[in-house]
Amino acid sequence: MPLQILIISDNESFTTYLGELLQEAGHATRCVAQEKEAFPAIRRQKPDLIILALEASKIVPLAIEHRVQTPSGPRSVPVIVISECLRLEAELLQVFDFIGKPLDVKRLLDDVAAVALRKSVPCQDQELEPRLASAFSRHILSHSGLHFDQRNRPALTRGLLKRMSALRLTDFKEYLQYLKEHGEDRHELQKLLQFLTVGETYFYRYPAHFEVLKERFADPPPCAAPIRIWSAGCSTGEEPYSIAMTLMEALPDWRQRDIRIIATDINNRSLKRAREGVYSPWSMRITTPEQSRRYFRRVGESYLIRDEVKQLVQFSHLNLSIPCREPVCDELQELDAIFCRNVLIYFTPETATGMLQRFSRALKPSGLLFLGHSETLLQRGLDLELRRKERSFYYVKSGLAAQPIAVPPLPPVLPVVEDTDALTEEQLRLAAAWLSKQTPWHPPVPPTEPLPAAPCTPLDDAQLLQGARELFDREEFEPALELLELVLARRPDLPDALVLKGFILAGKGALEQALETSDRVLALNDLLPEAYFLKGVLLDAADRLDEAAREYRKALLLNHDFIMPRYHMGRLHLRQGRLAEGAREIRNSIKILSRCDEEDTVPFSGGLTRAVCMLQLQNTLARVA
């Protein structure tokens, strides 16, 4: 099928060559030389495909802006990028394809033919059936060592759908075949991993661990002794920079010492962010004002790591699950400490055991090992002794073969309930889809003159609660729960924090605990509509429909404009075959929603804006009206 193709290029001869090549293949082309002319041309022509061949500095912002400004919605027009700057491929994960120079003509023509066949993007709320989930898990495990089981299947599904959207593939089977065929030659596996391994973090996460590290160096080693610490799974850099700042506080003579923090990760985009060292206020949420002033430079709303901190950290790409053959591996020995927090969950128990043995060998006697709070070291025979600090734990290498240690069990990680009909799961998937279409954050260019540091104050309970809501909307349940626990430690009977905790427990499949939490909230405040809504959702999921309807009605009696219980009520009517009543509730939801601002977030919808939620309501109504 012939396509209308818009070529955006600042190279006239290359533009002419592309135009002739594509016209010979039967397609109609139009060329734009100036990037500022691109969007007027897109709106006028409404092309089927855009080919970008600009200077490297212009490609990224233009590709991002395209996702927002295309007339029929984000990512509605596929983009192929052609550039000699190969590093851009790791940044442009939402484009249809990235082709380096010299141009691979066959690949370009194959891409154009594929665009002609793939006219739509996948539905972002479709389910990944267990058989295919297992097939993807086996392939990813065999080629990267990362393990995605039933517990983290939602994260796997979200990552797959993001890459499928970029490639305009609507079927999981089709994408699995593409992944097998192009995992290496088109770097598809690496692109997928960028969506599967992004970890949410912030400075001084798990403060007790950094207190332990600081105490270890309270009695400084000889000045000639090198200090080596490994941050394994460093994500966007907050952890290794926190380690560096802790050592700078513990060692007044740190400038005269040989200190190196070796930070590794499998995600190249995260490493790029880490090297840039530019962070939002959200990453600074438990950083003290003194730490902010001493180690960061404030530029607008961003915080830039100072060079004296940066110089202590060395970032490298490393896959922990494969034999270590990278140059950085030579430095991973005689280590004073290893931080590997919330990383083992990505690996099989057998692989995790091998990694722990490797960590033990890499530590010097009395070296420290820090794991995530949900990861316990249950293996026997390792010369690592369990220690506790406040509500955290860590391990110390004894230098002797350790006897079996009785490890007190930590609270288990709750499983995710599969194939439920609860709307919360559907809405959370929609929220993830919506968030994937937003403009990615990019660091601003620092001004030549530093701005004065703005005061940074510790976040109060209201700010922590708001942060937890934002994390919940992004489906980042664990960090949201961490913030809520901080609030509840000080105010254990705060209804707003408890009700959000109840929704998180429900999303994790802990329905009984969530129901107990909703009852506790109602005992504290029986006029809180969100608590009745939570209870209604839980009863709805348990097929106790009449009881669920009563809870939804109570929520609406207290707040007539509360969209989500009204929407749930409508869906409940539809499930019971009461089409007229269901359609009425959906129409009422649309009327109420029409009074909201376009970009308002709908409470307890999974982070949906008014516009996205309106579309969901209208689609539901269209199926029954």
Side-chain angles (χ1 to χ4, degrees):
M1 175 186 294
L3 297 178
Q4 297 286 331
I5 301 176
L6 177 65
I7 302 172
I8 305 172
S9 175
D10 47 15
N11 185 323
E12 184 177 350
S13 61
F14 189 66
T15 301
T16 302
Y17 168 68
L18 281 180
E20 293 174 351
L21 182 69
L22 295 168
Q23 287 166 17
E24 288 176 7
H27 304 289
T29 63
R30 182 180 174 187
C31 304
V32 175
Q34 299 290 329
E35 68 274 10
K36 66 183 180 181
E37 300 174 6
F39 292 106
I42 292 172
R43 285 189 287 270
R44 287 193 305 271
Q45 182 181 341
K46 297 184 179 177
D48 301 306
L49 171 65
I50 298 171
I51 297 179
L52 272 178
L54 297 165
E55 292 179 12
S57 61
K58 299 175 182 176
I59 287 175
V60 173
L62 190 60
I64 292 167
E65 197 174 358
H66 153 261
R67 292 169 53 198
V68 179
Q69 292 200 12
T70 41
S72 50
R75 290 187 293 177
S76 60
V77 183
V79 176
I80 295 174
V81 172
I82 301 172
S83 175
E84 58 191 9
C85 185
L86 300 182
R87 65 175 177 79
L88 290 178
E89 185 172 12
E91 299 180 36
L92 299 173
L93 299 179
Q94 303 287 6
V95 301
F96 187 86
D97 196 11
F98 181 98
I99 304 176
K101 288 185 177 181
L103 177 65
D104 183 336
V105 174
K106 182 181 183 303
R107 177 167 169 176
L108 175 63
L109 294 178
D110 287 346
D111 282 346
V112 174
V115 169
L117 294 173
R118 304 173 194 170
K119 286 297 186 181
S120 60
V121 294
C123 176
Q124 293 296 305
D125 62 353
Q126 63 178 299
E127 296 283 353
L128 177 62
E129 60 181 78
R131 181 179 59 83
L132 276 172
S134 297
F136 275 111
S137 295
R138 287 194 300 271
H139 182 81
I140 294 169
L141 177 63
S142 64
H143 289 79
S144 72
L146 298 182
H147 177 54
F148 289 85
D149 55 15
Q150 181 175 349
R151 175 185 53 181
N152 45 29
R153 186 174 298 171
L156 173 62
T157 304
R158 289 195 302 274
L160 295 175
L161 286 171
K162 285 177 181 178
R163 281 303 299 156
M164 289 166 63
S165 292
L167 297 167
R168 302 174 80 80
L169 294 172
T170 58
D171 183 81
F172 284 113
K173 290 184 197 175
E174 195 177 2
Y175 178 62
L176 179 59
Q177 185 61 35
Y178 183 92
L179 181 63
K180 290 178 178 178
E181 290 179 1
H182 299 296
E184 294 297 327
D185 67 332
R186 296 196 177 193
H187 310 116
E188 183 57 32
L189 180 62
Q190 184 58 234
K191 293 174 183 177
L192 175 61
L193 292 180
Q194 308 306 300
F195 288 122
L196 298 182
T197 60
V198 175
E200 194 279 339
T201 186
Y202 49 91
F203 289 101
Y204 297 104
R205 187 179 187 185
Y206 305 153
H209 287 174
F210 296 102
E211 285 299 317
V212 170
L213 185 65
K214 192 173 183 179
E215 290 169 3
R216 169 54 55 92
F217 290 99
D219 183 14
C223 200
I227 297 174
R228 296 290 183 266
I229 298 177
W230 182 13
S231 172
C234 65
S235 188
T236 49
E238 287 91 335
E239 178 179 272
Y241 287 136
S242 296
I243 296 170
M245 293 183 287
T246 300
L247 293 179
M248 292 166 71
E249 292 174 4
L251 299 166
D253 61 345
W254 64 268
R255 289 183 177 86
Q256 284 73 52
R257 292 180 174 272
D258 179 9
I259 299 174
R260 188 174 307 151
I261 295 102
I262 304 150
T264 65
D265 201 276
I266 195 174
N267 191 318
N268 286 319
R269 286 214 302 177
S270 294
L271 288 170
K272 181 177 182 295
R273 288 269 308 276
R275 292 186 184 103
E276 289 168 345
V278 182
Y279 298 94
S280 70
W282 189 234
S283 291
M284 309 285 293
R285 54 188 179 267
I286 66 170
T287 307
T288 67
E290 173 58 30
Q291 289 166 336
S292 299
R293 286 191 293 268
R294 181 176 175 184
Y295 303 116
F296 297 85
R297 186 158 55 90
R298 181 75 178 267
V299 178
E301 291 300 312
S302 297
Y303 290 83
L304 280 63
I305 287 280
R306 294 189 182 276
D307 288 343
E308 63 179 11
V309 184
K310 273 189 174 184
Q311 69 184 13
L312 300 181
V313 184
Q314 164 192 312
F315 292 100
S316 300
H317 178 273
L318 185 65
N319 185 341
L320 293 172
S321 69
I322 62 177
C324 197
R325 299 188 180 94
E326 303 292 336
V328 68
C329 301
D330 296 336
E331 301 185 51
L332 300 178
Q333 54 187 326
E334 289 297 301
L335 301 171
D336 295 273
I338 298 174
F339 285 70
C340 185
R341 305 186 299 177
N342 304 313
V343 174
L344 299 181
I345 57 174
Y346 287 107
F347 299 96
T348 62
E350 296 76 17
T351 303
T353 299
M355 289 167 57
L356 289 168
Q357 292 170 344
R358 175 179 169 188
F359 292 159
S360 179
R361 292 193 298 268
L363 287 169
K364 63 172 59 171
S366 78
L368 307 174
L369 172 64
F370 299 96
L371 301 179
H373 283 182
S374 62
E375 300 164 318
T376 54
L377 194 157
L378 300 178
Q379 289 73 17
R380 302 297 185 260
L382 295 177
D383 52 344
L384 296 167
E385 299 176 354
L386 176 69
R387 305 285 176 85
R388 293 195 177 276
K389 172 73 172 178
E390 298 171 2
R391 290 168 51 182
S392 299
F393 66 94
Y394 62 101
Y395 297 90
V396 178
K397 182 172 179 177
S398 64
L400 300 172
Q403 299 299 315
I405 303 170
V407 181
L410 293 178
V413 177
L414 297 168
V416 176
V417 174
E418 298 289 325
D419 300 323
T420 68
D421 191 41
L423 184 64
T424 48
E425 290 295 323
E426 178 181 343
Q427 292 296 310
L428 286 171
R429 285 194 299 274
L430 287 168
W434 173 79
L435 284 167
S436 73
K437 300 173 184 176
Q438 307 310 298
T439 305
W441 175 85
H442 281 267
V445 178
T448 54
E449 293 297 327
L451 299 178
C456 176
T457 58
L459 299 181
D460 59 24
D461 291 339
Q463 292 170 308
L464 290 172
L465 186 57
Q466 180 58 32
R469 287 195 184 100
E470 293 175 8
L471 289 167
F472 171 76
D473 287 342
R474 299 206 302 265
E475 215 176 15
E476 296 175 15
F477 296 146
E478 292 301 332
L481 201 53
E482 284 185 26
L483 292 191
L484 290 174
E485 295 297 356
L486 288 175
V487 176
L488 292 170
R490 294 193 291 257
R491 301 177 63 185
D493 292 333
L494 184 63
D496 288 342
L498 285 170
V499 77
L500 186 56
K501 180 178 179 180
F503 275 103
I504 292 175
L505 292 172
K508 290 162 65 69
L511 303 184
E512 288 298 324
Q513 290 178 261
L515 192 58
E516 291 173 6
T517 302
S518 70
D519 289 336
R520 180 182 171 191
V521 174
L522 290 170
L524 292 168
N525 182 359
D526 60 0
L527 297 178
L528 191 65
E530 292 85 352
Y532 290 108
F533 174 46
L534 170 60
K535 190 169 184 179
V537 168
L538 296 167
L539 295 170
D540 200 338
D543 283 328
R544 295 160 62 179
L545 303 187
D546 291 338
E547 295 172 80
R550 283 197 293 272
E551 301 305 318
Y552 293 150
R553 290 191 191 98
K554 292 175 186 176
L556 293 172
L557 284 172
L558 290 167
N559 183 356
H560 178 270
D561 292 343
F562 195 172
I563 292 290
M564 294 315 296
R566 191 172 296 282
Y567 183 19
H568 274 250
M569 179 74 84
R571 291 180 72 253
L572 191 151
H573 284 318
L574 296 177
R575 286 170 60 192
Q576 294 179 317
R578 297 195 292 270
L579 300 186
E581 292 90 335
R584 183 188 65 242
E585 293 296 349
I586 301 299
R587 288 192 186 95
N588 288 336
S589 299
I590 290 173
K591 289 178 183 177
I592 295 168
L593 196 58
S594 65
R595 299 196 293 265
C596 302
D597 290 337
E598 188 74 15
E599 293 304 318
D600 279 353
T601 299
V602 180
F604 293 96
S605 69
L608 299 184
T609 62
R610 175 258 192 197
V612 177
C613 192
M614 179 70 81
L615 180 62
Q616 174 70 9
L617 289 167
Q618 290 170 341
N619 288 342
T620 302
L621 184 61
R623 291 196 293 267
V624 297

